[in-house]
């Protein structure tokens, strides 16, 4: 049973370390590092286990992470409304745009960039790749073309958030 240090670096600069204790030969361990990137674009993130080890070849993991300036989110609104904060997507937009908190912290730009589209317009899209996440807000059923597009988006690594509402209740059978 060994106790070893794990060091994390970003672009060759050490940004953190954690001690891992109780590590047995052949065992796996997860180590959590938190880091706020200073700029958008590709960054090399490296984790290195330091200490005596019989197999040093597996002591380093290195990955390139592409950091986005803003995360584009498409919100498909199943129940739009002209009244403020009455549409299905309204509260999702507010939750994704915490401007008051950012202003207090001195941050100028929102990290998330929501775009709202009514369900009736989703058929006009041919590509979801400009977005990283698609949120379905009270969408009872997607048109077949949009469902196929969303399935491809998910297979390619896109994220989906489903927030059911009153329109979705008709699909639930108890």
């Amino acid at each position: 049973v060994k106790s070893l240090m794990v060091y994390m670096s970003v672009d060759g600069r050490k940004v953190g370390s954690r001690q891992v204790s109780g590590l047995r030969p052949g065992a796996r361990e997860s180590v959590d590092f938190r880091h706020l990137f200073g700029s958008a674009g590709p960054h090399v993130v490296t984790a290195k286990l330091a200490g005596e080890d019989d197999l040093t070849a597996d002591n380093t993991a290195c990955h390139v992470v592409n950091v986005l300036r803003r995360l584009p989110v498409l919100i498909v609104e199943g129940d739009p409304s002209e009244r403020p904060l009455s549409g299905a997507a309204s509260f999702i937009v507010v939750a994704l745009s915490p401007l008051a908190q950012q202003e207090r912290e001195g941050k100028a730009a929102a990290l998330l960039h929501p775009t709202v589209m009514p369900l009736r317009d989703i058929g006009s899209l041919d590509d979801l790749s400009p977005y990283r996440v698609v949120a379905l807000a009270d969408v009872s059923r997607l048109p077949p073309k949009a469902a196929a597009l969303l399935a491809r988006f998910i297979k390619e690594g896109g994220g989906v958030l489903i927030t059911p509402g009153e329109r979705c209740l008709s699909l639930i059978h108890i």
Side-chain angles (χ1 to χ4, degrees):
V1 179
K2 295 182 178 182
S3 179
L4 302 170
M5 290 298 291
V6 178
Y7 297 95
M8 184 178 122
S9 63
V10 175
D11 299 329
R13 189 179 53 109
K14 183 178 154 186
V15 296
S17 63
R18 299 281 186 278
Q19 184 172 359
V20 178
S21 56
L23 202 59
R24 298 186 185 282
R28 300 179 122 195
E29 181 71 32
S30 294
V31 181
D32 184 35
F33 287 96
R34 302 202 184 254
H35 176 72
L36 180 62
F37 292 89
S39 62
H43 295 275
V44 178
V45 178
T46 305
K48 183 174 176 101
L49 185 66
E52 296 295 321
D53 189 1
D54 294 337
L55 183 60
T56 58
D58 67 350
N59 289 359
T60 302
C62 186
H63 295 282
V64 176
V65 177
N66 189 28
V67 177
L68 301 174
R69 182 173 315 281
R70 295 184 354 151
L71 184 71
V73 178
L74 174 64
I75 304 170
V76 180
E77 186 168 33
D79 188 18
S81 174
E82 297 297 322
R83 293 183 12 228
L85 298 176
S86 295
S90 299
F91 288 104
I92 297 173
V93 171
V94 170
L96 295 181
S97 305
L99 295 177
Q101 176 69 23
Q102 290 180 353
E103 287 174 1
R104 282 195 300 272
E105 295 174 3
K107 298 176 185 173
L111 297 176
L112 300 165
H113 180 66
T115 300
V116 178
M117 176 177 285
L119 177 61
R120 66 180 174 271
D121 296 342
I122 192 74
S124 67
L125 291 179
D126 292 321
D127 183 21
L128 292 174
S129 66
Y131 305 99
R132 296 298 185 263
V133 176
V134 174
L136 302 177
D138 198 10
V139 172
S140 61
R141 185 169 304 191
L142 286 171
K145 177 186 170 191
L149 191 64
L150 186 61
R152 187 172 76 225
F153 175 75
I154 294 167
K155 285 180 185 175
E156 293 172 354
V160 175
L161 170 67
I162 300 172
T163 58
E166 291 178 7
R167 296 172 57 89
C168 294
L169 293 178
S170 63
L171 298 176
I172 299 172
H173 301 286
I174 299 177

